[in-house]
Amino acid sequence: MEYLVKTRCGMVSVAVFGDQDKPALVTYPDLALNHISCFQGLFFSPEVNSFLLHNFCIYHISPPGHEVGAAPIGSDDLMPSVDDLADQVLEVLNFFGLGAVMCMGVTAGAYVLTLFAMKYRQRVLGLILVSPLCRAPSWTEWLLNKVMSNLLYFYGMCGVVKELLLKRYFSQEVRGSVEESESDIVQACRRLLDERQSINVQQFLEAMNGRRDLSEGLRKLHCRSLIFVGENSPFHSEALHMTSKLDRRYSALVEVQACGSIVTEEQPHAMLIPLDYFLMGFGLYRSTLSVSRRSPLSPTCISPELLSPESMGLKLKPIKTRIS
């Protein structure tokens, strides 16, 4: 079911899948994407889908105006900041009566959920972050974002903007070349980008271009964190930096070879085993759910040994994972 949740900064679309009596997994996509274009590959993978839906009710939050069929955001509407977007996540949780939740975000969405976890620590059980951002934009990223913002404003979702976004999302292997055609996932994403309202994308882009550095606060995050990053992602160094700032007792990094930023679409199968071990630390398994409904999935209920990355089956040095 899809809900429109009224927040202080406007309406937010939330697509809900599964039994709402189960623990909640909240997702947030990257720039110009929604749950269809950012998480479909992961949730359409039979093993991952059955595992996650067996244990969770999924709440897909779309950035303002990024849902299917969204109307253009009015020019008089308040342009949200990244703090406003994080606060919207809290308002969504309160709307559904949710307590502490598991979070999964991709790139810009990973930043929003990390900021949410830093502001409202009691509401986050764990973070699953894909090619995350945590620092303020570099000068090169800031300039590129400004170019995209101006193109969106004057020309809409034009070919140049789509190419820049596709380079942000996917590795060269799936984007194709003169000799090789684009993969199906890139062609599908290109079609979905045509449906985005350019002013809505521009507002999210401007919010992310004004983001601040979260590095200093990361070590105070004691929720468990699992980071995935494609080794060909333009944000690969960001993920390594973020991992270095997180408390190593509660975090682990998985590098996925021959992959871009959106691991959830390009190589979703590479996420299965790390997710399996990560969620096992919360008492969640593929075949059975060993915690009560509306579960207290609190790490305080877990033996201390399960909090270590080694117990999750994850090495502290980056894991190289590749699907042939």
Side-chain angles (χ1 to χ4, degrees):
M1 293 185 65
E2 191 155 353
Y3 298 82
L4 280 177
V5 180
K6 186 177 182 180
T7 72
R8 182 177 57 84
C9 291
M11 306 299 288
V12 174
S13 174
V14 185
V16 180
F17 294 87
D19 181 355
Q20 293 188 40
D21 285 329
K22 290 183 178 180
L25 171 64
V26 171
T27 75
Y28 209 107
D30 191 18
L31 175 71
L33 303 178
N34 54 34
H35 71 277
I36 296 173
S37 46
C38 194
F39 296 103
Q40 185 169 261
L42 178 67
F43 285 94
F44 273 31
S45 169
E47 298 93 341
V48 179
N49 181 54
S50 60
F51 175 41
L52 292 178
L53 278 178
H54 177 73
N55 291 295
F56 293 103
C57 179
I58 316 297
Y59 296 80
H60 292 297
I61 301 177
S62 291
H66 280 53
E67 67 273 14
V68 176
I73 296 173
S75 56
D76 295 332
D77 292 345
L78 177 67
M79 182 180 291
S81 65
V82 286
D83 281 282
D84 292 328
L85 297 174
D87 291 342
Q88 282 185 332
V89 176
L90 178 66
E91 292 182 79
V92 167
L93 265 57
N94 291 340
F95 175 85
F96 289 103
L98 302 174
V101 300
M102 192 72 66
C103 295
M104 178 186 293
V106 177
T107 311
Y111 181 94
V112 172
L113 291 179
T114 302
L115 179 58
F116 170 71
M118 294 174 69
K119 295 181 72 171
Y120 307 104
R121 294 178 191 175
Q122 300 304 313
R123 304 301 290 271
V124 177
L125 296 165
L127 289 169
I128 302 164
L129 306 174
V130 181
S131 304
L133 304 173
C134 72
R135 291 182 286 192
S138 64
W139 280 110
T140 52
E141 185 197 344
W142 184 90
L143 184 59
L144 178 62
N145 288 345
K146 279 296 180 185
V147 170
M148 274 204 293
S149 181
N150 286 328
L151 287 170
L152 284 164
Y153 182 81
F154 289 107
Y155 301 103
M157 187 59 74
C158 60
V160 176
V161 172
K162 282 189 281 190
E163 290 304 321
L164 291 172
L165 288 172
L166 291 172
K167 286 182 180 179
R168 172 190 177 101
Y169 303 150
F170 300 111
S171 66
Q172 183 65 57
E173 284 87 344
V174 295
R175 292 202 317 272
S177 61
V178 177
E179 295 82 15
E180 297 181 7
S181 60
E182 290 180 338
S183 70
D184 291 342
I185 59 170
V186 175
Q187 291 178 24
C189 186
R190 188 185 292 276
R191 289 191 296 271
L192 289 167
L193 287 175
D194 285 328
E195 301 173 6
R196 296 284 81 79
Q197 297 288 348
S198 56
I199 185 65
N200 303 357
V201 176
Q202 185 202 17
Q203 285 206 1
F204 191 19
L205 178 59
E206 287 293 336
M208 290 306 301
N209 219 24
R211 70 185 188 268
R212 65 182 184 278
D213 193 337
L214 304 180
S215 300
E216 292 307 310
L218 290 176
R219 196 162 295 278
K220 298 176 184 176
L221 271 182
H222 288 165
C223 65
R224 296 174 59 202
S225 304
L226 177 60
I227 296 176
F228 294 91
V229 64
E231 67 173 2
N232 297 330
S233 166
F235 306 109
H236 182 265
S237 63
E238 279 283 315
L240 298 184
H241 171 79
M242 186 172 187
T243 305
S244 72
K245 296 297 181 180
L246 286 165
D247 191 326
R248 296 186 67 175
R249 293 173 297 169
Y250 307 116
S251 61
L253 171 70
V254 178
E255 290 183 277
V256 183
Q257 292 184 348
C259 189
S261 298
I262 309 185
V263 184
T264 51
E265 288 293 310
E266 194 168 339
Q267 291 201 36
H269 286 91
M271 299 178 67
L272 177 60
I273 293 175
L275 279 174
D276 199 354
Y277 282 109
F278 178 71
L279 295 175
M280 198 180 295
F282 293 92
L284 300 175
Y285 301 89
R286 292 198 212 186
S287 56
T288 60
L289 181 60
S290 61
V291 293
S292 63
R293 294 161 75 83
R294 214 32 127 161
S295 142
L297 282 181
S298 169
T300 58
C301 303
I302 304 167
S303 62
E305 308 85 63
L306 288 176
L307 291 173
S308 67
E310 291 88 344
S311 73
M312 298 190 296
L314 301 173
K315 299 178 182 178
L316 286 173
K317 62 182 182 180
I319 298 173
K320 299 286 188 178
T321 307
R322 185 168 187 172
I323 303 299
S324 60

